[in-house]
Amino acid sequence: MSFYPQVKEFLLGKTLPTSAHSEERLSNAAALAVLSSDALSSVAYATEEILLVLVTAGSGALGFSLPIAVAIIILLGIVVISYRQTIRAYPKGGGSYIVAKDNLGLYPGLVAGGSLMIDYILTVTVSISAGTAALTSAFPFLQTHTVGLCLIFIVLLTLANMRGVKESGNLFMIPTYAFIVSIFVMIAIGLFKQATGFTPPSYPEIPVKEGLGLFFILRAFSAGCTALTGVEAISDGVLAFKQPEWKNARLTLLYLGGILGLMFVGITYLATSYHIVPEEGQTVVSLLGRTLIGNNPFYFFIQLVTLLVLLLAANTSFADFPRLCYFLARDGFLPRQLALLGDRLVYSNGIILLSVSAAILVIIFRGEVNAIIPLYAVGVFTSFTLSQAGMVRHWFREKTTGWRASAIMNGVGAIATLIVLAVIVSTKFLLGAWLVVIAIPLVVILFITIHRHYNYVATRLSIQGLSPRSYIPQPKPAVITHPAIVLVGQLNRGTVDALDYARTIADEIVGVHVDVGTTDREKLHDKWQQMESDIPLVILDSPYRSLISPVVEYVSQFEERYPDIFTTVIIPVFVTRNWWESILHNQTTLFLKTALRAKKSRVVTTVRYYL
């Protein structure tokens, strides 16, 4: 007996029926933990990234970190208000891909989708690496195991997310809110010490390597803009909220903007006031904690919750990347497997794709945050800009109540994020941003290639143009000698050939279709009556979205009618032109044949249709 099902159930939980989908919703508090942890946790490294640029111009330049942080907070306010408009216009979820595609056209939509996909993968890589850096700052002897620790954390996050939205939300609330409270307590301690006359140590002598200038300040600003990554996640995940979804999403986004802004400016202000200088092997939050609190249990608690929330920051991507892949796969731009719900009502294939991609980047960059940061934020600001520009077009087209004010707000957001995108690309291009600039069009080309393949397959399999077939039902023989079951996924040319083959060998035929909750039964029934009216069609319900179990169970029951003769199960399959194209299609046929051939007194055959 295989132990795989038991192990899978232990790790992921029992399979949930499709009817439980509406129950897998998040309260505002849980949604803030699941969808906003990326943005909230960025305060753990955003200030550090500003200081790492400024420190090259000497200690005198470090004071510019506070005005740069204020400018980023203003930009955060613009982006939050803009995305609140998006949520109001797209109450069922308005991610950058959908908004750009609907309002600007297909190619801007694909650029937005590709940009976000890349940024979500980088978010997991950066967050996991930064979380591991927090751990190794507190326990330096672990630094030699950085890559291994990163990979372990990716596996743990993958398992947590595969258990479902509701369970992961409840699991992630405690560390997220513990992080928020601990950061505000640390800020309060710093302000109290400052107010009561604490004198921080002066800046050490720092050699000047670069001169101050506009381009230099813009480079520091672009480094700090990593604080805004993840802000769009709530607008992507509106349907994860409890009803009324869009109102709860708008409110939660407002909470996110306020909490993030206060934490970011607070940490930057204290880092400036207490003359914090970045050090190798120590994060700015760690240095600030040691200065304000010392090496007491609360310092280690801050490092622990920082580690946990940075790991959960990756969870924003785990929540939204699979959903983005679902939309792209539904429209035929990614493999259709990414549109399938898993056992726990999450898009399991999307979660696995994200985990593998992030693990590869962790290995390539050896878990070093500063090596990955230059690639970061290009994708997210590209999608910001296209989404906000799309919303301007939306308001001018719809002209609903208050559309002018909404269009102005989204227009300001589009211009602001476009300027920031230009700054990020120009200042980080040679540092690594060029990789993302090249990767985005390559991903769009991949989307288009996949879409062309699916269109070709649909054209070749279409029964449009086939004349309606009228068969005279033959009288059922007194003794059945060769019964046959034809499995029907869709009524296409491959299925028609399989049914024709069945007529040549069998004296009783039944078509079997499994409905996993996506079948238009009326449409299928009408087509069947036009094309194959002489053969009965049985539609099996599958509340757990499995194709194999209902088929095996039905075939076994069917065979009980004819215990002494072989039943033939016919599976129509189409054969792609090239081997690699088969990757774009489910391998259901292989699993079905394996399951059905478990019984020896049964014939399982495939009828191939060559594309």
Side-chain angles (χ1 to χ4, degrees), residues 214-291:
L214 178 61
F215 187 81
F216 181 81
I217 296 297
L218 288 176
R219 205 171 90 213
F221 172 79
S222 69
C225 282
T226 53
L228 272 69
T229 56
V231 172
E232 81 291 341
I234 290 176
S235 72
D236 289 340
V238 173
L239 291 182
F241 286 82
K242 290 183 176 179
Q243 294 182 340
E245 296 94 342
W246 70 276
K247 289 184 178 179
N248 287 327
R250 277 168 59 92
L251 186 61
T252 304
L253 183 58
L254 202 58
Y255 291 152
L256 164 64
I259 295 169
L260 172 58
L262 289 172
M263 288 198 299
F264 180 45
V265 79
I267 288 175
T268 308
Y269 173 74
L270 291 181
T272 305
S273 301
Y274 286 84
H275 301 160
I276 300 297
V277 179
E279 292 180 14
E280 183 73 27
Q282 290 287 318
T283 65
V284 164
V285 171
S286 173
L287 291 169
L288 195 56
R290 288 184 193 274
T291 303

Side-chain angles (χ1 to χ4, degrees), residues 121 124-133 135-136 142 144-160 307 311 314 318 351-352 354-368 372:
I121 294 169
V124 175
T125 311
V126 169
S127 300
I128 295 288
S129 302
T132 305
L135 179 64
T136 56
L142 291 174
T144 55
H145 304 288
T146 296
V147 174
L149 288 169
C150 288
L151 296 177
I152 290 170
F153 292 143
I154 288 174
V155 171
L156 292 176
L157 269 178
T158 302
L159 292 175
L307 160 67
L311 298 182
F318 277 101
I351 291 172
I352 293 169
L354 175 61
S355 303
V356 172
S357 302
I360 292 170
L361 287 182
V362 162
I363 293 169
I364 291 172
F365 290 99
R366 304 193 62 77
E368 296 177 8
I372 309 165

Side-chain angles (χ1 to χ4, degrees), residues 87 236 522 605:
I87 293 170
D236 289 340
E522 186 177 347
T605 187

Side-chain angles (χ1 to χ4, degrees), residues 80 160 341 362 375 506 569 593:
V80 166
L341 280 173
V362 162
L375 283 69
V569 181
K593 285 195 290 187

